[in-house]
Amino acid sequence: MNDIDKTTQNIVELLREKNLHISLAESCTGGMLAAEVTGVAGSSAVIDMSIVTYANWAKEKYTDVTVDLLVQYGAVSRECACAMAEGIRREANCDIGVGITGIAGPDGGSPEKPIGTVYIAIASENKTTIKHFIINKEDRNTIRQETTRQALILLKEILIWL
């Protein structure tokens, strides 16, 4: 069992112990976080919903992302990740919502938001934590995998304190 598998196993155990349910809204990871979580036996007791909101219209329809937010901040922003996490939590009526957005490349980067720019937000009833990363990897899949790894690490840290 590798470190990611252990972390994911710990997350599912923490969610079960604390009787918490989680839902996920992923963009640049394309469902990788959901695949990790649902790969753990017993995860069906804690995961309520997972969606890949790749297109902006999907972010708007299924989470709290608004057109105004997208125009002002862009789809790759802390504001968008926050809205995704809070929106999926409310939509699923669950305890924890995760929102992930970023630029995995090889296209789409800019000087302000280079390839590898990622925002991960985790929302609970009382608090939303948002982390910004610049993942300096050359390969699209590696950026997606590292984003998933960072989301798992952040989620475990937050769950320990809930």
Side-chain angles (χ1 to χ4, degrees), residues 45-73:
V46 298
I47 188 165
D48 288 348
M49 177 189 294
S50 174
I51 59 174
V52 176
T53 55
Y54 224 69
N56 286 346
W57 69 263
K59 290 175 181 68
E60 293 170 34
K61 184 172 181 174
Y62 298 107
T63 69
D64 283 350
V65 176
T66 64
V67 172
D68 291 341
L69 184 150
L70 291 168
V71 169
Q72 186 170 359
Y73 301 105

PDB file of all heavy atoms in Angstrom, residues 45-73:
ATOM      1  N   ALA A  45     -20.278   4.349   2.340  1.00  0.00           N
ATOM      2  CA  ALA A  45     -20.921   4.837   3.560  1.00  0.00           C
ATOM      3  C   ALA A  45     -20.654   6.322   3.800  1.00  0.00           C
ATOM      4  O   ALA A  45     -21.307   6.940   4.646  1.00  0.00           O
ATOM      5  CB  ALA A  45     -20.432   4.026   4.766  1.00  0.00           C
ATOM      6  N   VAL A  46     -19.704   6.910   3.048  1.00  0.00           N
ATOM      7  CA  VAL A  46     -19.315   8.292   3.342  1.00  0.00           C
ATOM      8  C   VAL A  46     -19.353   9.239   2.150  1.00  0.00           C
ATOM      9  O   VAL A  46     -19.369  10.459   2.332  1.00  0.00           O
ATOM     10  CB  VAL A  46     -17.913   8.348   3.994  1.00  0.00           C
ATOM     11  CG1 VAL A  46     -17.903   7.613   5.329  1.00  0.00           C
ATOM     12  CG2 VAL A  46     -16.833   7.819   3.070  1.00  0.00           C
ATOM     13  N   ILE A  47     -19.348   8.742   0.933  1.00  0.00           N
ATOM     14  CA  ILE A  47     -19.368   9.636  -0.226  1.00  0.00           C
ATOM     15  C   ILE A  47     -20.777   9.680  -0.807  1.00  0.00           C
ATOM     16  O   ILE A  47     -21.382   8.649  -1.072  1.00  0.00           O
ATOM     17  CB  ILE A  47     -18.318   9.263  -1.292  1.00  0.00           C
ATOM     18  CG1 ILE A  47     -18.251  10.351  -2.367  1.00  0.00           C
ATOM     19  CG2 ILE A  47     -18.538   7.892  -1.871  1.00  0.00           C
ATOM     20  CD1 ILE A  47     -17.016  10.274  -3.256  1.00  0.00           C
ATOM     21  N   ASP A  48     -21.291  10.892  -0.939  1.00  0.00           N
ATOM     22  CA  ASP A  48     -22.669  11.065  -1.407  1.00  0.00           C
ATOM     23  C   ASP A  48     -22.750  11.381  -2.890  1.00  0.00           C
ATOM     24  O   ASP A  48     -23.634  10.907  -3.582  1.00  0.00           O
ATOM     25  CB  ASP A  48     -23.357  12.192  -0.633  1.00  0.00           C
ATOM     26  CG  ASP A  48     -23.667  11.804   0.797  1.00  0.00           C
ATOM     27  OD1 ASP A  48     -23.560  10.613   1.142  1.00  0.00           O
ATOM     28  OD2 ASP A  48     -24.015  12.703   1.580  1.00  0.00           O
ATOM     29  N   MET A  49     -21.837  12.215  -3.378  1.00  0.00           N
ATOM     30  CA  MET A  49     -21.932  12.672  -4.756  1.00  0.00           C
ATOM     31  C   MET A  49     -20.548  13.083  -5.240  1.00  0.00           C
ATOM     32  O   MET A  49     -19.743  13.603  -4.480  1.00  0.00           O
ATOM     33  CB  MET A  49     -22.868  13.885  -4.834  1.00  0.00           C
ATOM     34  CG  MET A  49     -22.991  14.495  -6.212  1.00  0.00           C
ATOM     35  SD  MET A  49     -23.890  16.083  -6.230  1.00  0.00           S
ATOM     36  CE  MET A  49     -25.518  15.579  -5.758  1.00  0.00           C
ATOM     37  N   SER A  50     -20.325  12.865  -6.516  1.00  0.00           N
ATOM     38  CA  SER A  50     -19.112  13.359  -7.145  1.00  0.00           C
ATOM     39  C   SER A  50     -19.455  13.747  -8.573  1.00  0.00           C
ATOM     40  O   SER A  50     -20.084  12.978  -9.286  1.00  0.00           O
ATOM     41  CB  SER A  50     -18.020  12.288  -7.143  1.00  0.00           C
ATOM     42  OG  SER A  50     -16.913  12.758  -7.871  1.00  0.00           O
ATOM     43  N   ILE A  51     -19.027  14.950  -8.960  1.00  0.00           N
ATOM     44  CA  ILE A  51     -19.271  15.399 -10.320  1.00  0.00           C
ATOM     45  C   ILE A  51     -18.005  16.036 -10.875  1.00  0.00           C
ATOM     46  O   ILE A  51     -17.186  16.569 -10.131  1.00  0.00           O
ATOM     47  CB  ILE A  51     -20.455  16.384 -10.426  1.00  0.00           C
ATOM     48  CG1 ILE A  51     -20.226  17.621  -9.563  1.00  0.00           C
ATOM     49  CG2 ILE A  51     -21.754  15.718 -10.062  1.00  0.00           C
ATOM     50  CD1 ILE A  51     -21.282  18.689  -9.732  1.00  0.00           C
ATOM     51  N   VAL A  52     -17.856  15.920 -12.174  1.00  0.00           N
ATOM     52  CA  VAL A  52     -16.768  16.597 -12.873  1.00  0.00           C
ATOM     53  C   VAL A  52     -17.399  17.792 -13.569  1.00  0.00           C
ATOM     54  O   VAL A  52     -18.167  17.632 -14.514  1.00  0.00           O
ATOM     55  CB  VAL A  52     -16.064  15.667 -13.882  1.00  0.00           C
ATOM     56  CG1 VAL A  52     -14.998  16.432 -14.662  1.00  0.00           C
ATOM     57  CG2 VAL A  52     -15.453  14.476 -13.156  1.00  0.00           C
ATOM     58  N   THR A  53     -17.107  18.968 -13.053  1.00  0.00           N
ATOM     59  CA  THR A  53     -17.664  20.205 -13.605  1.00  0.00           C
ATOM     60  C   THR A  53     -16.583  20.872 -14.450  1.00  0.00           C
ATOM     61  O   THR A  53     -16.050  21.914 -14.087  1.00  0.00           O
ATOM     62  CB  THR A  53     -18.164  21.136 -12.490  1.00  0.00           C
ATOM     63  OG1 THR A  53     -17.092  21.377 -11.574  1.00  0.00           O
ATOM     64  CG2 THR A  53     -19.334  20.532 -11.750  1.00  0.00           C
ATOM     65  N   TYR A  54     -16.277  20.247 -15.546  1.00  0.00           N
ATOM     66  CA  TYR A  54     -15.214  20.733 -16.427  1.00  0.00           C
ATOM     67  C   TYR A  54     -15.620  22.018 -17.130  1.00  0.00           C
ATOM     68  O   TYR A  54     -14.876  22.978 -17.170  1.00  0.00           O
ATOM     69  CB  TYR A  54     -14.884  19.643 -17.449  1.00  0.00           C
ATOM     70  CG  TYR A  54     -13.406  19.438 -17.654  1.00  0.00           C
ATOM     71  CD1 TYR A  54     -12.617  18.898 -16.651  1.00  0.00           C
ATOM     72  CD2 TYR A  54     -12.805  19.803 -18.849  1.00  0.00           C
ATOM     73  CE1 TYR A  54     -11.264  18.711 -16.842  1.00  0.00           C
ATOM     74  CE2 TYR A  54     -11.453  19.615 -19.048  1.00  0.00           C
ATOM     75  CZ  TYR A  54     -10.682  19.074 -18.039  1.00  0.00           C
ATOM     76  OH  TYR A  54      -9.342  18.900 -18.231  1.00  0.00           O
ATOM     77  N   ALA A  55     -16.818  22.050 -17.671  1.00  0.00           N
ATOM     78  CA  ALA A  55     -17.312  23.238 -18.380  1.00  0.00           C
ATOM     79  C   ALA A  55     -17.845  24.259 -17.384  1.00  0.00           C
ATOM     80  O   ALA A  55     -18.371  23.908 -16.319  1.00  0.00           O
ATOM     81  CB  ALA A  55     -18.425  22.834 -19.356  1.00  0.00           C
ATOM     82  N   ASN A  56     -17.727  25.517 -17.745  1.00  0.00           N
ATOM     83  CA  ASN A  56     -18.227  26.578 -16.867  1.00  0.00           C
ATOM     84  C   ASN A  56     -19.725  26.447 -16.615  1.00  0.00           C
ATOM     85  O   ASN A  56     -20.190  26.683 -15.500  1.00  0.00           O
ATOM     86  CB  ASN A  56     -17.898  27.950 -17.438  1.00  0.00           C
ATOM     87  CG  ASN A  56     -16.430  28.298 -17.281  1.00  0.00           C
ATOM     88  OD1 ASN A  56     -15.701  27.643 -16.538  1.00  0.00           O
ATOM     89  ND2 ASN A  56     -15.992  29.313 -17.975  1.00  0.00           N
ATOM     90  N   TRP A  57     -20.494  26.044 -17.640  1.00  0.00           N
ATOM     91  CA  TRP A  57     -21.937  25.903 -17.428  1.00  0.00           C
ATOM     92  C   TRP A  57     -22.232  24.842 -16.371  1.00  0.00           C
ATOM     93  O   TRP A  57     -23.199  24.964 -15.615  1.00  0.00           O
ATOM     94  CB  TRP A  57     -22.687  25.613 -18.737  1.00  0.00           C
ATOM     95  CG  TRP A  57     -22.427  24.257 -19.321  1.00  0.00           C
ATOM     96  CD1 TRP A  57     -21.547  23.942 -20.306  1.00  0.00           C
ATOM     97  CD2 TRP A  57     -23.036  23.025 -18.928  1.00  0.00           C
ATOM     98  NE1 TRP A  57     -21.561  22.590 -20.562  1.00  0.00           N
ATOM     99  CE2 TRP A  57     -22.476  21.997 -19.716  1.00  0.00           C
ATOM    100  CE3 TRP A  57     -24.003  22.681 -17.985  1.00  0.00           C
ATOM    101  CZ2 TRP A  57     -22.852  20.663 -19.594  1.00  0.00           C
ATOM    102  CZ3 TRP A  57     -24.368  21.345 -17.862  1.00  0.00           C
ATOM    103  CH2 TRP A  57     -23.799  20.355 -18.661  1.00  0.00           C
ATOM    104  N   ALA A  58     -21.398  23.811 -16.295  1.00  0.00           N
ATOM    105  CA  ALA A  58     -21.600  22.760 -15.288  1.00  0.00           C
ATOM    106  C   ALA A  58     -21.282  23.294 -13.893  1.00  0.00           C
ATOM    107  O   ALA A  58     -21.973  22.962 -12.925  1.00  0.00           O
ATOM    108  CB  ALA A  58     -20.743  21.546 -15.616  1.00  0.00           C
ATOM    109  N   LYS A  59     -20.243  24.110 -13.791  1.00  0.00           N
ATOM    110  CA  LYS A  59     -19.927  24.742 -12.501  1.00  0.00           C
ATOM    111  C   LYS A  59     -21.109  25.594 -12.047  1.00  0.00           C
ATOM    112  O   LYS A  59     -21.482  25.589 -10.876  1.00  0.00           O
ATOM    113  CB  LYS A  59     -18.662  25.595 -12.618  1.00  0.00           C
ATOM    114  CG  LYS A  59     -17.382  24.802 -12.803  1.00  0.00           C
ATOM    115  CD  LYS A  59     -16.208  25.769 -13.031  1.00  0.00           C
ATOM    116  CE  LYS A  59     -14.898  25.041 -13.249  1.00  0.00           C
ATOM    117  NZ  LYS A  59     -14.818  24.292 -14.497  1.00  0.00           N
ATOM    118  N   GLU A  60     -21.697  26.342 -12.980  1.00  0.00           N
ATOM    119  CA  GLU A  60     -22.834  27.201 -12.664  1.00  0.00           C
ATOM    120  C   GLU A  60     -24.053  26.378 -12.244  1.00  0.00           C
ATOM    121  O   GLU A  60     -24.731  26.712 -11.273  1.00  0.00           O
ATOM    122  CB  GLU A  60     -23.196  28.065 -13.864  1.00  0.00           C
ATOM    123  CG  GLU A  60     -22.147  29.091 -14.230  1.00  0.00           C
ATOM    124  CD  GLU A  60     -22.442  29.748 -15.565  1.00  0.00           C
ATOM    125  OE1 GLU A  60     -23.629  29.935 -15.907  1.00  0.00           O
ATOM    126  OE2 GLU A  60     -21.478  30.072 -16.284  1.00  0.00           O
ATOM    127  N   LYS A  61     -24.335  25.316 -12.981  1.00  0.00           N
ATOM    128  CA  LYS A  61     -25.555  24.536 -12.750  1.00  0.00           C
ATOM    129  C   LYS A  61     -25.501  23.711 -11.463  1.00  0.00           C
ATOM    130  O   LYS A  61     -26.499  23.588 -10.759  1.00  0.00           O
ATOM    131  CB  LYS A  61     -25.824  23.611 -13.947  1.00  0.00           C
ATOM    132  CG  LYS A  61     -27.118  22.837 -13.827  1.00  0.00           C
ATOM    133  CD  LYS A  61     -27.447  22.101 -15.095  1.00  0.00           C
ATOM    134  CE  LYS A  61     -28.767  21.356 -14.925  1.00  0.00           C
ATOM    135  NZ  LYS A  61     -29.210  20.741 -16.162  1.00  0.00           N
ATOM    136  N   TYR A  62     -24.355  23.124 -11.155  1.00  0.00           N
ATOM    137  CA  TYR A  62     -24.280  22.159 -10.054  1.00  0.00           C
ATOM    138  C   TYR A  62     -23.584  22.663  -8.802  1.00  0.00           C
ATOM    139  O   TYR A  62     -23.566  21.953  -7.789  1.00  0.00           O
ATOM    140  CB  TYR A  62     -23.610  20.878 -10.546  1.00  0.00           C
ATOM    141  CG  TYR A  62     -24.400  20.218 -11.637  1.00  0.00           C
ATOM    142  CD1 TYR A  62     -23.969  20.257 -12.958  1.00  0.00           C
ATOM    143  CD2 TYR A  62     -25.609  19.591 -11.364  1.00  0.00           C
ATOM    144  CE1 TYR A  62     -24.699  19.675 -13.977  1.00  0.00           C
ATOM    145  CE2 TYR A  62     -26.356  19.010 -12.377  1.00  0.00           C
ATOM    146  CZ  TYR A  62     -25.896  19.051 -13.674  1.00  0.00           C
ATOM    147  OH  TYR A  62     -26.644  18.474 -14.680  1.00  0.00           O
ATOM    148  N   THR A  63     -22.982  23.837  -8.876  1.00  0.00           N
ATOM    149  CA  THR A  63     -22.341  24.414  -7.693  1.00  0.00           C
ATOM    150  C   THR A  63     -22.738  25.884  -7.609  1.00  0.00           C
ATOM    151  O   THR A  63     -23.585  26.347  -8.356  1.00  0.00           O
ATOM    152  CB  THR A  63     -20.802  24.252  -7.741  1.00  0.00           C
ATOM    153  OG1 THR A  63     -20.264  25.072  -8.774  1.00  0.00           O
ATOM    154  CG2 THR A  63     -20.404  22.799  -7.971  1.00  0.00           C
ATOM    155  N   ASP A  64     -22.137  26.625  -6.719  1.00  0.00           N
ATOM    156  CA  ASP A  64     -22.498  28.032  -6.524  1.00  0.00           C
ATOM    157  C   ASP A  64     -21.699  28.990  -7.399  1.00  0.00           C
ATOM    158  O   ASP A  64     -21.653  30.184  -7.126  1.00  0.00           O
ATOM    159  CB  ASP A  64     -22.290  28.426  -5.056  1.00  0.00           C
ATOM    160  CG  ASP A  64     -23.403  27.916  -4.165  1.00  0.00           C
ATOM    161  OD1 ASP A  64     -24.422  27.434  -4.683  1.00  0.00           O
ATOM    162  OD2 ASP A  64     -23.254  28.015  -2.928  1.00  0.00           O
ATOM    163  N   VAL A  65     -21.069  28.502  -8.422  1.00  0.00           N
ATOM    164  CA  VAL A  65     -20.322  29.376  -9.326  1.00  0.00           C
ATOM    165  C   VAL A  65     -21.324  30.171 -10.158  1.00  0.00           C
ATOM    166  O   VAL A  65     -22.261  29.608 -10.716  1.00  0.00           O
ATOM    167  CB  VAL A  65     -19.388  28.543 -10.236  1.00  0.00           C
ATOM    168  CG1 VAL A  65     -18.688  29.431 -11.251  1.00  0.00           C
ATOM    169  CG2 VAL A  65     -18.356  27.797  -9.392  1.00  0.00           C
ATOM    170  N   THR A  66     -21.121  31.472 -10.213  1.00  0.00           N
ATOM    171  CA  THR A  66     -22.003  32.341 -10.990  1.00  0.00           C
ATOM    172  C   THR A  66     -21.255  32.895 -12.195  1.00  0.00           C
ATOM    173  O   THR A  66     -20.020  32.897 -12.229  1.00  0.00           O
ATOM    174  CB  THR A  66     -22.505  33.520 -10.146  1.00  0.00           C
ATOM    175  OG1 THR A  66     -21.379  34.330  -9.782  1.00  0.00           O
ATOM    176  CG2 THR A  66     -23.236  33.043  -8.888  1.00  0.00           C
ATOM    177  N   VAL A  67     -22.008  33.380 -13.155  1.00  0.00           N
ATOM    178  CA  VAL A  67     -21.410  34.026 -14.327  1.00  0.00           C
ATOM    179  C   VAL A  67     -20.560  35.210 -13.871  1.00  0.00           C
ATOM    180  O   VAL A  67     -19.441  35.408 -14.355  1.00  0.00           O
ATOM    181  CB  VAL A  67     -22.500  34.473 -15.330  1.00  0.00           C
ATOM    182  CG1 VAL A  67     -21.901  35.311 -16.447  1.00  0.00           C
ATOM    183  CG2 VAL A  67     -23.225  33.276 -15.900  1.00  0.00           C
ATOM    184  N   ASP A  68     -21.084  36.003 -12.936  1.00  0.00           N
ATOM    185  CA  ASP A  68     -20.335  37.163 -12.437  1.00  0.00           C
ATOM    186  C   ASP A  68     -18.997  36.749 -11.827  1.00  0.00           C
ATOM    187  O   ASP A  68     -17.981  37.397 -12.051  1.00  0.00           O
ATOM    188  CB  ASP A  68     -21.154  37.941 -11.408  1.00  0.00           C
ATOM    189  CG  ASP A  68     -22.348  38.648 -12.030  1.00  0.00           C
ATOM    190  OD1 ASP A  68     -22.361  38.839 -13.267  1.00  0.00           O
ATOM    191  OD2 ASP A  68     -23.274  39.003 -11.281  1.00  0.00           O
ATOM    192  N   LEU A  69     -19.000  35.667 -11.057  1.00  0.00           N
ATOM    193  CA  LEU A  69     -17.762  35.167 -10.460  1.00  0.00           C
ATOM    194  C   LEU A  69     -16.773  34.771 -11.549  1.00  0.00           C
ATOM    195  O   LEU A  69     -15.594  35.126 -11.486  1.00  0.00           O
ATOM    196  CB  LEU A  69     -18.062  33.979  -9.543  1.00  0.00           C
ATOM    197  CG  LEU A  69     -16.890  33.384  -8.761  1.00  0.00           C
ATOM    198  CD1 LEU A  69     -17.377  32.798  -7.452  1.00  0.00           C
ATOM    199  CD2 LEU A  69     -16.141  32.334  -9.551  1.00  0.00           C
ATOM    200  N   LEU A  70     -17.253  34.068 -12.550  1.00  0.00           N
ATOM    201  CA  LEU A  70     -16.379  33.630 -13.643  1.00  0.00           C
ATOM    202  C   LEU A  70     -15.806  34.816 -14.408  1.00  0.00           C
ATOM    203  O   LEU A  70     -14.629  34.813 -14.775  1.00  0.00           O
ATOM    204  CB  LEU A  70     -17.127  32.688 -14.581  1.00  0.00           C
ATOM    205  CG  LEU A  70     -17.469  31.322 -13.993  1.00  0.00           C
ATOM    206  CD1 LEU A  70     -18.456  30.586 -14.890  1.00  0.00           C
ATOM    207  CD2 LEU A  70     -16.223  30.495 -13.751  1.00  0.00           C
ATOM    208  N   VAL A  71     -16.619  35.823 -14.651  1.00  0.00           N
ATOM    209  CA  VAL A  71     -16.148  37.007 -15.373  1.00  0.00           C
ATOM    210  C   VAL A  71     -15.115  37.761 -14.540  1.00  0.00           C
ATOM    211  O   VAL A  71     -14.070  38.187 -15.041  1.00  0.00           O
ATOM    212  CB  VAL A  71     -17.335  37.931 -15.747  1.00  0.00           C
ATOM    213  CG1 VAL A  71     -16.850  39.282 -16.240  1.00  0.00           C
ATOM    214  CG2 VAL A  71     -18.209  37.258 -16.800  1.00  0.00           C
ATOM    215  N   GLN A  72     -15.395  37.919 -13.256  1.00  0.00           N
ATOM    216  CA  GLN A  72     -14.505  38.702 -12.397  1.00  0.00           C
ATOM    217  C   GLN A  72     -13.202  37.978 -12.048  1.00  0.00           C
ATOM    218  O   GLN A  72     -12.134  38.587 -12.064  1.00  0.00           O
ATOM    219  CB  GLN A  72     -15.229  39.107 -11.115  1.00  0.00           C
ATOM    220  CG  GLN A  72     -14.410  40.035 -10.240  1.00  0.00           C
ATOM    221  CD  GLN A  72     -15.211  40.621  -9.091  1.00  0.00           C
ATOM    222  OE1 GLN A  72     -16.389  40.359  -8.936  1.00  0.00           O
ATOM    223  NE2 GLN A  72     -14.544  41.425  -8.286  1.00  0.00           N
ATOM    224  N   TYR A  73     -13.278  36.684 -11.733  1.00  0.00           N
ATOM    225  CA  TYR A  73     -12.102  35.967 -11.219  1.00  0.00           C
ATOM    226  C   TYR A  73     -11.595  34.866 -12.139  1.00  0.00           C
ATOM    227  O   TYR A  73     -10.455  34.442 -12.016  1.00  0.00           O
ATOM    228  CB  TYR A  73     -12.409  35.362  -9.850  1.00  0.00           C
ATOM    229  CG  TYR A  73     -12.815  36.382  -8.832  1.00  0.00           C
ATOM    230  CD1 TYR A  73     -14.140  36.511  -8.450  1.00  0.00           C
ATOM    231  CD2 TYR A  73     -11.881  37.233  -8.261  1.00  0.00           C
ATOM    232  CE1 TYR A  73     -14.534  37.453  -7.508  1.00  0.00           C
ATOM    233  CE2 TYR A  73     -12.257  38.180  -7.318  1.00  0.00           C
ATOM    234  CZ  TYR A  73     -13.584  38.283  -6.951  1.00  0.00           C
ATOM    235  OH  TYR A  73     -13.957  39.224  -6.031  1.00  0.00           O
TER     236      TYR A  73
END
